[in-house]
């Protein structure tokens, strides 16, 4: 039985105040096309459908059209969705009772955690359990007491969920879990809403009894265990993800009854790029369903790229022209601060989103090392303050305002004379 695993769509997201809805539409079209090219039993979206709790009307409309196309073109493919930490669970689950009749399943809370969606295909059956992002108060006090847990940290709530799920999973049927959480050992990136403190990190062993765990939250595609993967976001959402290979994961799981399964086998296909098969570990005692994991690339319509060089190389040279159609972050390594670099370079690079100047960053670092206390700063020579203000204006506006500087110096002198 084949399933497609994705997460962290973040529809409606902006990058440096630039809307990404256009490239997100192309990304959803690519996922739709992947589903039409093979016989997928289900699409699993493991949270963060939207980028914010109250998504824009355009983002909602885009996702609605995406679901409608899947239902029209892939009538036998179930869609399973959980909310992530960016989503409003209640808003995401709007009309879920009606959508369920269309085999679009949205689980917004833990009230039905033990009730799986059962997929059937011939003699094969697969139970899919849906664990939404665990917000504060996800479980009642009675439930927490029953499992000897009092707190509401991610780790504690995940432990409660693990107990409930372990009792619910049927031993004779392969089981898959979709969850949105931050596992111990996961590699994050700057585009995620991270947690503070180790109490928010979840031990992957809590869900090791599943045949496969489809994770969302971390934006880099990565293997946590043999049977637990983050698909990652299908688009890069920060410049530190610009070199990441974005993808969705195709999961092919043998869903014949478990008593007929003689061995536990995990195979990964990556073209040597993503998963190292030599590092795979086999749990030969668990008799889990044989599994095949394949990475399917998603190519952004407008990739993110980081470039570094001096200003003249960008402004007058042609070395970097091939990247003019990308969203760019440019680091200038000139010895002096360049005035108005964004305005100047956007003439050649219309999708330039971020400029970093090493000389300015080095100056900030030096200023930080030499930072004075508030008392020392207030006692500083006023004329020195005027000079520092002039230097700041050079950085911001390209040149100091001579009249402002002279006026400020005159006022300082008058104040000193009066004292």
């Amino acid at each position: 039985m084949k399933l497609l695993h994705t997460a962290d769509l973040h529809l409606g997201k902006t990058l440096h105040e630039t809307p990404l809805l256009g490239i997100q539409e192309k990304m959803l079209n690519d996922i739709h096309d992947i589903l039409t090219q093979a016989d997928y039993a289900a699409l699993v979206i493991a949270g963060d459908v939207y980028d914010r709790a109250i998504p824009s009307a355009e983002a909602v409309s885009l996702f609605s059209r995406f679901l409608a196309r899947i239902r029209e073109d892939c009538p036998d493919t179930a869609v399973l969705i959980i909310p992530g930490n960016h989503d409003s669970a209640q808003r995401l689950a709007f009309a879920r009772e009606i959508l369920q009749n269309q085999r679009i399943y949205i689980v917004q809370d833990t009230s039905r955690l033990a009730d799986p969606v059962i997929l059937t295909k011939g003699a094969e059956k697969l139970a899919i359990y849906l664990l939404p992002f665990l917000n504060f108060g996800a479980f009642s006090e009675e439930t927490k007491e029953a499992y000897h847990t009092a707190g509401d940290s991610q780790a504690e709530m995940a432990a409660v969920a693990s107990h409930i799920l372990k009792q619910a999973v049927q031993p004779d049927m392969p089981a898959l879990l979709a969850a949105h959480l931050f596992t111990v050992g996961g590699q994050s990136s700057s585009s995620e809403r991270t947690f503070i403190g180790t109490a928010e990190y979840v031990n992957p062993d809590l869900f090791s009894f599943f045949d496969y765990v489809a994770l969302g939250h971390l934006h880099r595609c990565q293997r946590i265990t043999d049977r637990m993967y983050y698909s990652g976001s299908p688009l890069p959402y920060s410049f530190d993800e610009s070199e990441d290979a974005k993808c969705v994961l195709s999961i092919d799981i043998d869903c014949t009854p478990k008593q007929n399964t003689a061995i536990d086998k995990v195979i990964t296909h990556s073209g040597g790029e993503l998963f190292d098969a030599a590092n795979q570990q086999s749990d030969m005692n668990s008799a889990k369903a044989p599994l095949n994991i394949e990475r399917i690339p998603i190519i952004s319509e407008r990739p993110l790229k980081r470039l570094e060089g001096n200003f003249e190389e960008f402004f007058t040279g042609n070395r970097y022209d091939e990247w003019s159609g990308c969203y760019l972050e440019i680091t200038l390594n000139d010895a002096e601060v360049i005035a108005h670099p964004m305005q100047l370079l956007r003439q050649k690079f219309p999708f330039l989103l971020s400029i970093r100047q090493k000389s300015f960053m080095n100056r900030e670092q030096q200023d930080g090392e030499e930072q004075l206390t508030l008392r020392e700063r207030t006692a500083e020579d006023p004329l020195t303050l005027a000079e520092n203000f002039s230097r700041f204006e050079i950085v911001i506006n390209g040149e100091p305002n001579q009249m402002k500087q002279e006026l400020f110096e005159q006022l300082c002198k008058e104040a000193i004379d009066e004292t």
Side-chain angles (χ1 to χ4, degrees), residues 126 173-176 207-213 227 253 258 287-291:
L126 175 67
M173 184 186 302
L176 179 149
F207 306 107
S208 61
F209 51 91
F210 281 97
D211 293 272
Y212 181 76
V213 180
R227 295 174 175 273
I253 181 168
K258 280 191 174 182
K288 290 177 182 170
L291 190 68

Side-chain angles (χ1 to χ4, degrees), residues 126 183 376:
L126 175 67
T183 62
E376 291 170 327

Side-chain angles (χ1 to χ4, degrees), residues 238-417:
S238 62
F239 280 102
D240 64 350
E241 299 173 34
S242 60
E243 300 301 322
D244 293 351
K246 293 299 182 177
C247 64
V248 292
L249 296 180
S250 179
I251 314 301
D252 196 345
I253 181 168
D254 183 350
C255 294
T256 53
K258 280 191 174 182
Q259 59 264 34
N260 296 330
T261 302
I263 60 171
D264 176 19
K265 178 173 62 176
V266 178
I267 305 172
T268 62
H269 289 282
S270 64
E273 297 176 2
L274 184 63
F275 305 127
D276 184 359
N279 292 329
Q280 298 292 333
Q281 301 175 355
S282 295
D283 180 6
M284 300 302 292
N285 299 318
S286 64
K288 290 177 182 170
L291 190 68
N292 185 80
I293 302 170
E294 180 181 2
R295 169 181 165 269
I296 302 178
I298 298 291
I299 307 300
S300 175
E301 185 177 48
R302 197 173 304 285
L304 272 61
K305 185 70 177 176
R306 277 177 161 167
L307 300 173
E308 181 173 340
N310 63 56
F311 177 78
E312 285 302 322
E313 286 180 315
F314 287 104
F315 191 58
T316 60
N318 56 13
R319 177 181 174 184
Y320 301 106
D321 288 1
E322 64 177 300
W323 308 110
S324 62
C326 299
Y327 287 129
L328 295 178
E329 180 178 81
I330 290 177
T331 299
L332 300 176
N333 53 26
D334 301 81
E336 297 297 325
V337 173
I338 305 298
H340 310 297
M342 181 76 78
Q343 179 181 343
L344 294 171
L345 291 181
R346 271 192 172 168
Q347 298 174 32
K348 287 188 65 177
F349 304 99
F351 302 104
L352 174 60
L353 301 184
S354 174
I355 284 280
R356 299 162 63 87
Q357 299 200 55
K358 279 193 172 180
S359 57
F360 189 37
M361 291 187 288
N362 291 339
R363 182 177 296 174
E364 282 185 322
Q365 183 178 0
Q366 293 171 2
D367 289 346
E369 293 171 354
E370 300 170 0
Q371 187 176 19
L372 301 173
T373 66
L374 180 60
R375 180 173 296 178
E376 291 170 327
R377 184 173 295 279
T378 54
E380 195 172 24
D381 179 8
L383 295 180
T384 303
L385 288 175
E387 181 182 348
N388 289 339
F389 177 75
S390 174
R391 187 178 69 173
F392 176 77
E393 281 216 321
I394 293 175
V395 173
I396 299 302
N397 299 319
E399 59 183 15
N401 186 308
Q402 190 67 26
M403 183 178 296
K404 284 183 183 178
Q405 185 175 355
E406 291 176 355
L407 177 60
F408 188 71
E409 290 178 358
Q410 181 62 34
L411 290 172
C412 289
K413 288 178 181 178
E414 292 178 1
I416 292 172
D417 291 341

Side-chain angles (χ1 to χ4, degrees), residues 46-57:
D48 281 352
V49 172
Y50 299 111
D51 190 56
R52 57 187 63 185
I54 304 178
S56 67

Side-chain angles (χ1 to χ4, degrees), residues 123-194:
E124 292 186 298
K125 286 188 176 182
L126 175 67
I128 300 183
Y129 294 82
L130 301 173
L131 177 62
F133 177 72
L134 296 170
N135 287 300
F136 180 85
F139 296 103
S140 67
E141 293 301 322
E142 293 78 7
T143 300
K144 289 189 292 185
E145 289 176 7
Y147 296 105
H148 309 290
T149 299
D152 281 295
S153 71
Q154 286 287 300
E156 290 168 316
M157 290 188 290
V160 173
S162 174
H163 285 296
I164 295 172
L165 289 165
K166 188 174 291 186
Q167 295 174 357
V169 168
Q170 302 176 31
D172 61 343
M173 184 186 302
L176 179 149
L177 174 68
H180 192 90
L181 43 82
F182 197 157
T183 62
V184 174
Q187 183 184 9
S188 63
S189 63
S190 63
S191 63
E192 295 139 14
R193 194 177 290 168
T194 55

